[in-house]
Amino acid sequence: MSLRSAHIILVFVYLCFFLTSAAFAHPASGIVVDAQGRVYFIYSLRGVMRIEPLGKLTNIHEDNGGHWLALDTGGAFSKVTPKQFERITPDGVIPSLIFASGGAPLVVGPDGDLYYGSNGSQEDSFPPGATTVVRLSASGRQELFAPSVKNKLAELKDGITGLASGPGGSIYVATWNGIVKLNADGSIAKITHPVVVKDCDSDPADHNPANASSPLLRGLGVDSGGNVYVAATSCHRVLKITPDGQVTSILKSERPWSPTGVAVSGKDIYVLEYTNANGPKTEGWRPRVRKLSRDNTVTTLVTVPIEASSASSP
């Protein structure tokens, strides 16, 4: 098989996953941390879980779907429901939690607007997708945020797998093979593509040999210095990518675990991992959350038991 054919198959498989309503092809990557140190993450096919600072685990929202989660720290959406997504916190509660049962990657920026992956079709009210980024205000205004991204991703034969906000109103885009930084005005600031993982423990997405060359970058977070921390799911690694493009592995997941989501809180990195994340749900998806502290200490905050507790109020 030629390299071009492999790329075409990879993108086709990716788009089929993210742009249809079929059952999950991969487990969730949604994880966020609030100012009180409470960790929220999606347990695929179960709902949204919360870890209290003292370690108590609660299922706060039952749902048999779920991929992505956004934390609305300013509460712009605390009394409205964003189109095509779901606010799962009660009216007026700040911070608000925005949940994507299907849809596309999403993040609330420092301006209070919601940014999400879309196919860019204005005629269809910018539905969720994997080819560009749309901005949605709490008042319901939608607009194409990054007009040049769609053509650039098509050129790279790649698609959107994660979003995060960064310093200065920037938005960071994860793709199967790279990272794209967008300026606050939606223009492309920097592209790191392809991202090469030198110590990759290769585990192709969907067990498809055509995907063997891809690290499958998914959930990501960005610190105040512009360093990107991203789950390389098909490499069983969490990567740190510096502003000048240096790539290092900062956390390794032993099989069958793989990282799928990352959240940054201060100088601490929170990682959502799943068993068998590169295969179908029939292989068994079970999440855990680990914390990489500023002193490089790794702590397992929770490994979710087979039967999680029933839902309670956020």
Side-chain angles (χ1 to χ4, degrees), residues 211-283:
N211 297 333
S213 63
S214 172
L216 181 48
L217 305 183
R218 292 190 61 191
L220 73 164
V222 184
D223 68 17
S224 59
N227 296 294
V228 176
Y229 303 87
V230 61
T233 302
S234 290
C235 286
H236 296 270
R237 300 289 186 267
V238 175
L239 310 178
K240 177 181 179 181
I241 305 175
T242 63
D244 62 359
Q246 295 184 34
V247 180
T248 56
S249 295
I250 61 169
L251 185 67
K252 299 179 181 180
S253 300
E254 74 282 6
R255 296 192 186 215
W257 298 97
S258 284
T260 61
V262 174
V264 176
S265 180
K267 293 186 180 295
D268 296 327
I269 312 300
Y270 294 79
V271 181
L272 174 61
E273 299 171 295
Y274 269 89
T275 54
N276 308 305
N278 294 292
K281 65 182 180 181
T282 53
E283 293 184 0

Side-chain angles (χ1 to χ4, degrees), residues 36-287:
Q36 286 71 46
R38 294 173 294 197
V39 181
Y40 302 84
F41 67 94
I42 298 176
Y43 183 176
S44 292
L45 308 176
R46 298 295 180 88
V48 179
M49 313 295 290
R50 180 179 63 209
I51 309 171
E52 302 289 351
L54 295 180
K56 180 182 178 182
L57 178 69
T58 309
N59 184 342
I60 65 168
H61 178 75
E62 291 184 346
D63 195 290
N64 61 5
H67 277 293
W68 295 279
L69 197 61
L71 187 70
D72 177 16
T73 57
F77 291 90
S78 64
K79 295 184 178 181
V80 298
T81 298
K83 182 185 298 185
Q84 308 190 50
F85 300 102
E86 180 182 2
R87 173 172 50 81
I88 62 173
T89 39
D91 282 356
V93 170
I94 300 174
S96 305
L97 284 171
I98 301 173
F99 175 74
S101 182
L106 74 167
V107 66
V108 176
D111 56 3
D113 288 342
L114 179 67
Y115 297 79
Y116 66 92
S118 173
N119 69 6
S121 173
Q122 185 172 5
E123 295 78 11
D124 296 326
S125 299
F126 298 117
T131 58
T132 190
V133 180
V134 165
R135 177 165 56 195
L136 172 65
S137 72
S139 65
R141 185 190 74 252
Q142 286 178 296
E143 60 183 349
L144 189 60
F145 173 65
S148 60
V149 166
K150 189 168 188 176
N151 287 339
K152 177 54 67 174
L153 290 180
E155 177 185 324
L156 294 171
K157 300 181 177 64
D158 216 332
I160 296 172
T161 54
L163 290 176
S165 63
S170 57
I171 298 294
Y172 286 73
V173 179
T175 72
W176 276 67
N177 296 296
I179 300 292
V180 179
K181 177 185 176 182
L182 303 175
N183 290 315
D185 64 0
S187 61
I188 296 176
K190 182 178 177 61
I191 298 175
T192 305
H193 196 287
V195 168
V196 177
V197 185
K198 294 181 179 179
D199 61 345
C200 180
D201 178 10
S202 183
D203 187 6
D206 306 311
H207 303 319
N208 188 337
N211 297 333
S213 63
S214 172
L216 181 48
L217 305 183
R218 292 190 61 191
L220 73 164
V222 184
D223 68 17
S224 59
N227 296 294
V228 176
Y229 303 87
V230 61
T233 302
S234 290
C235 286
H236 296 270
R237 300 289 186 267
V238 175
L239 310 178
K240 177 181 179 181
I241 305 175
T242 63
D244 62 359
Q246 295 184 34
V247 180
T248 56
S249 295
I250 61 169
L251 185 67
K252 299 179 181 180
S253 300
E254 74 282 6
R255 296 192 186 215
W257 298 97
S258 284
T260 61
V262 174
V264 176
S265 180
K267 293 186 180 295
D268 296 327
I269 312 300
Y270 294 79
V271 181
L272 174 61
E273 299 171 295
Y274 269 89
T275 54
N276 308 305
N278 294 292
K281 65 182 180 181
T282 53
E283 293 184 0
W285 293 342
R286 188 181 181 198

